[in-house]
Amino acid sequence: MSKEEVLVVGGGVVGAAIAFGAARAGAPVVLLDEGDIAHRASRGNFGLVWMQSKGSGFPRYARWCRDAVDFWPRLAQELQELAGVDVHLQQPGGFWIGFSDAEMQARAAMLEELKDIGPGIPYEMLDRAELKRRLPAIGPTVAGGSFCPLDGHVNPLKLLHALHAALKALGVRVHAGVEVARVSRRQDGGYAAESRDGRSWHAPRLVLAAGLGNKTLAAQVGLHAPVEPNRGQVLITERLEPFLHHPTNKARQTNEGTVQLGYSIEDVGFDDGTTVSAIEWIARRALATFPVLSEARLVRAWGALRVMTPDGSPIYQESPACPGAYVATSHSGVSLAGTHAYVLGPWMAGLAPAPDDIEAFAGDRYLDPGRSFSHAH
Amino acid sequence: MDADAFDLAIVGAGPAGLSAAIEARAWGLSVALLDEQAAPGGQIYRGVDAASAEARSVLGEDYSAGMELTREFRDSGARHIAGAAVWNVGSDLRIDYLAQGSSHALQARAIVLACGAMERPFPIPGWTLPGVMGAGAAQILYKNAAALPNGPAVLAGCGPLLYLLANQYLQAGVALKAVIDTTRRFDYLRAARHLPGALLGWPDLRKGMRMIANLRRRRVPVYAGAQALAIQGGDHAESIGFIHRGRRLRVDSALILLHQGVVPNTQFSWALRARHRWDESQLCWVPETDEHGQIENTGIYIAGDGRGIVGAKASASQGRLAALAVAAKLGRATPQACRAREQVVRAGLRRQLRIRPLLDALYRPADAHRVPQDDAVVVCRCEEVTAGQVRQYAALGCLGPNQAKTFGRCGMGPCQGRLCGLTVTELIAQARGVPAAEVGYYRIRPPIKPVTLGELAEEN
Amino acid sequence: MHIESVSRRPALFAAQARADASIVTLRFEDQPIRVPAGISVAAALLLHAAAPFRTTPVGAAPRAPYCMMGVCFECLVEIDGRPNRQACLTPVRDGMVIRRQHGASSLPLSRQEEEHGR
């Protein structure tokens, strides 16, 4: 059976991972990527490879996240071999930090609900004394936390770099500086993508991984992908000597020694700027968590726009009206990179059957008048 | 939190900022001027009020003229917020600054950014070694601490500041081992085209010529037309090599002072997302403003060298024009009064700008000293990224400086791209074979000056 | 970086003492140095100590002040226990304790205990 060419729109962590997976499985792939000026959610990612508490109330998503954790070491190794880039994956387990008993109780309930998903999502609730034993640097107002041995972190910029270098090594044709304005179904059953400056590409298969651009493009091939921007502001310090060896939900020390601190969750449209109030809030929270950071200098603050769905969970769907056309979106493109590569890639290239219960991720779920959604996380 | 409120907030206490404050106060505006230093004067008039008679004699009349400005400023009634490091200027005209160990804010109805210039980076081999400093840096050392080289010194590069420092050192009795002048005959020829216009700035020209003649008269070894500068040393500067009249020479020195002009300090203008254009005669990014210095309709004005290198006197005129525009905007100056005043200041500004095209042409830094050909030269000092590495990123498809950041951390260190930005823009442009204007610059984000988390959290 | 040979190097700058200057005493790497009030810490070091004054976090490269106006971030030293301070923007103060900055800032966890006592 000859392999059909796959046209992937979007070269962020989601599109690049899917393209990588498809190319690895043997499909010919063409990737269209915007330039330096695009929103580029991938560049603003926090870098967590995170499992605990994902998918509460959505077991299929929890299972999806669980599988992603297991895929990561293989992805990191393949990228090192193929692209020569070390993405600095570390999976030592991660901590969620809580500041009140109420928070702790809610957390415990959520983690208990998720613990038997798939091969299991182990967790421990830690009271203040136990948390302090494991993270000596925590501050006096921390009430406690939870620990999941599956959690970790990675360098998200290196991941993007590695994926693109791997695509090049696999012979994927990447066209940079392309802003796709329109996609459509062709007479021959394949799909076309036209750029704003009038160029076009076509292929039998189409994958839309265009982040915020998916909202418009998906509708053009009969898919519903109601994504909206959601701003996260993040702070990063100067390089510091290592003191934090596990990622936490709002603070992690990178392989370079800088400490990344987060984050806000704001509905402000397409504004990726920073605000003094968020910067100060994140700083206070960071100090409440790790008072020892008081002398650490902030080198940069940035805002990035998450690609947010109404329930915060991904959309992966083959268009019922346009078979061979797919949409893929998730704001956890780093955590889920492995499943995007090894599961979505081959499926969307037509080289593997649809993943179990992939229908759970259909964008149509948002059209159900009987359901309501919240993307709080 | 209640922020202090003013009609006009000014950032920077150099000639542009001080003049803006004086002018604004004359029109009755309430003014706050913030600056990092304890005393006004910026860099050019640094320490002028505390300078000894001897220092003022060494530094010359132009320096002492700053005392008039600082005196007028003190008498103006503007509020001087000294020792303040401004870390954010918001489009809502709120300024956040660090002073006395914590973060403070003030609110204004208009802002003048007068942050001046910095020395252009000089990325040659060995430029990061201890003992290598800017000529401007050495001048600041003298102004701030009456410090002079403890032994023979070598000055290298081009530009008025280099010759000025050389003369000041001679006046102070410093042994100048060599002045390695990279200005070539070709530069003189190119500059000659601008002579007619510059002749109206004759006093400036004459001053420059006298300084160069003085060096020769005092038998300071001057190597004119020097090329291919490179500094040698293990963990400290030891010597500087160069090509002079076809011969490869080397001068030993533990102190090497480099200079190839100054460039606008554009951190705030980029952070505010103002449009910038690449100025091919000054080889730097320049923010786009209206004729009063305003960035579009923001209420934020840029005056002085931060808007393009114009020198101290022109900076002062621009400061006045910005303040005048604010006074008019806030209804404190009638259109007629404004027009009259503006005419006077603009006439002065035109005169002060006459010498510029000649200086830009004459002291244009050599390509090889802006875009290192030697791949081993460190371009990003903070993160130790070399020219060769940046070229590699371009070869991997990196289109601009922001992608270069993601590839190799270039520009992500504490200086926030100040010392590597121009070099990276030009390096990528050269590697891609496109104009610098097409390559763009780093996305600059707050904090514009480093603030500790503790200082942020203890906000007043 | 060999500290002994470094300290034998002469200071790069010298200044004539002003008769009217008030003098402050600092400690640099446990050595006392006397300087006029009002100058920057970077000036004080350049007048009385031997470069380098720091090593970089990435490659441990030796560095010393370059721009003297706060834009290059090469003059970072530890001042009164606070790491990575810009010496050229810090005026000297009597009793100040200055040390070379070796690589990245370290965050002594013991400092946290001190703060609880405040």
Side-chain angles (χ1 to χ4, degrees), chain B residues 33-51:
Chain B
L33 186 146
L34 303 99
D35 187 75
E36 273 180 317
Q37 298 300 324
Q43 300 309 330
I44 194 157
Y45 302 133
R46 180 98 175 240
V48 72
D49 292 318

Side-chain angles (χ1 to χ4, degrees), chain B residues 182-264:
Chain B
T182 60
T183 312
R184 299 157 298 166
R185 204 166 311 182
F186 173 76
D187 296 313
Y188 286 99
L189 291 174
R190 181 178 53 212
R193 268 190 294 129
H194 300 280
L195 258 179
L199 282 175
L200 294 162
W202 173 241
D204 287 325
L205 258 185
R206 188 179 47 193
K207 216 183 312 178
M209 282 157 51
R210 276 207 192 123
M211 288 197 288
I212 296 173
N214 195 34
L215 293 178
R216 297 195 188 281
R217 193 175 45 249
R218 300 277 290 267
R219 304 203 195 291
V220 173
V222 177
Y223 298 92
Q227 296 182 306
L229 269 52
I231 295 170
Q232 296 82 31
D235 66 345
H236 199 286
E238 287 165 20
S239 60
I240 177 165
F242 54 99
I243 294 177
H244 178 249
R245 295 196 187 142
R247 290 180 310 153
R248 201 164 269 292
L249 300 177
R250 223 170 69 164
V251 176
D252 290 340
S253 185
L255 181 63
I256 297 169
L257 303 174
L258 301 176
H259 184 80
Q260 53 178 359
V262 292
V263 291

Side-chain angles (χ1 to χ4, degrees), chain A residues 36 43 161 239 256 261 272-274 276 279-280 283-284 287 293-303, chain B residues 88 94 96 383 396 402-403 405-407 409 412-413 416 443 445-447 450-454 456-457 459:
Chain A
D36 219 45
R43 280 206 212 132
H161 177 193
R239 288 172 184 258
E256 287 123 3
L261 301 162
D272 68 351
T274 50
V276 172
I279 290 171
E280 286 171 350
R284 281 192 211 106
L287 288 186
L293 285 173
S294 166
E295 289 302 315
R297 292 179 319 168
L298 186 62
V299 167
R300 190 173 169 87
W302 74 82
Chain B
N88 192 52
R94 171 185 152 139
D96 287 274
E383 295 291 319
L396 284 173
N402 292 296
Q403 281 179 295
K405 262 192 209 167
T406 67
F407 274 73
R409 288 196 58 87
M412 289 170 94
Q416 300 167 323
R443 175 96 186 253
R445 299 275 208 171
V451 195
T452 67
L453 294 172
L456 274 175
E459 168 261 325

